[in-house]
Amino acid sequence: YQRRVHGDALIALWLNAMEALFSGGSANAFAIRQALESIGTFDEAVKNLSIIHLIAPSYLILGGSGPDEGAVITRDRQSARDVWPLAPTDGRWFLVETNYDHWEPPPKDDDRRDPAIAFLNATGRARLNANAIVSLMHTPPVLNGMTVYTTLMCPRTGFINTTLPWGTYQHH
């Protein structure tokens, strides 16, 4: 998101408020919650979250309860700019989203993407688990001064783990 809205945070906040007031956009969090509460399938959720009018550009990262259900939706206010799905048969068994468009090279001063990809490839799909992901997410440069929290979720099991700078909250 930080690279999707260029400039000052106050300007971005103003633009989001104007979008909500005058263009009928939905607050991102409310649109996501409504989709999760009312849509029955992963594919329907991807479609809905790709076309609904939002008040702010964002990256929506979706994981379904079925095998290989995952996608990153790069959003502008009006619609998706890109839907990037998992494609294990093409060797894309994971997606790494670090607040920059995945088709652009990461900025030299904030390349978290390439170290994350190297870690995931070295770990391998068979050995990847929640502990490995937490380890990755807490290793610089993936963990940086802008990290506020890290949450892992598994829709199939209901597992949720949120790690804050001062500790961990775990819900099963």
Side-chain angles (χ1 to χ4, degrees):
Y1 176 75
Q2 65 198 57
R3 297 284 189 202
R4 305 248 351 113
V5 176
H6 299 287
D8 187 81
L10 187 57
I11 293 171
L13 182 62
W14 177 254
L15 290 172
N16 293 347
M18 293 301 100
E19 192 74 19
L21 287 172
F22 299 115
S23 298
S26 298
N28 294 24
F30 294 128
I32 293 166
R33 181 178 179 145
Q34 182 179 8
L36 296 176
E37 288 178 341
S38 63
I39 296 173
T41 70
F42 174 80
D43 290 335
E44 289 170 355
V46 169
K47 181 178 178 184
N48 175 273
L49 292 170
S50 295
I51 62 173
I52 192 167
H53 182 176
L54 300 175
I55 65 169
S58 58
Y59 297 100
L60 304 178
I61 302 169
L62 281 68
S65 60
D68 303 324
E69 289 182 337
V72 175
I73 304 172
T74 303
R75 284 297 315 247
D76 285 333
R77 287 182 170 92
Q78 299 297 326
S79 64
R81 261 190 95 199
D82 182 68
V83 176
W84 186 34
L86 286 171
T89 56
D90 296 335
R92 198 168 60 234
W93 59 273
F94 63 84
L95 304 172
V96 174
E97 178 53 58
T98 58
N99 293 354
Y100 306 106
D101 294 340
H102 71 89
W103 58 89
E104 299 286 342
K108 292 185 186 324
D109 65 339
D110 189 21
D111 183 6
R112 295 169 283 146
R113 182 190 312 155
D114 292 333
I117 290 170
F119 176 93
L120 292 166
N121 281 324
T123 302
R125 188 173 187 174
R127 295 185 323 184
L128 191 64
N129 58 35
N131 290 334
I133 295 173
V134 168
S135 175
L136 165 65
M137 299 302 292
H138 289 91
T139 303
V142 175
L143 176 71
N144 68 20
M146 298 297 290
T147 302
V148 176
Y149 63 89
T150 300
T151 298
L152 303 179
M153 296 180 234
C154 180
R156 186 174 33 86
T157 65
F159 173 82
I160 301 172
N161 175 295
T162 299
T163 305
L164 307 168
W166 55 88
T168 299
Y169 169 75
Q170 192 167 30
H171 173 74
H172 296 280

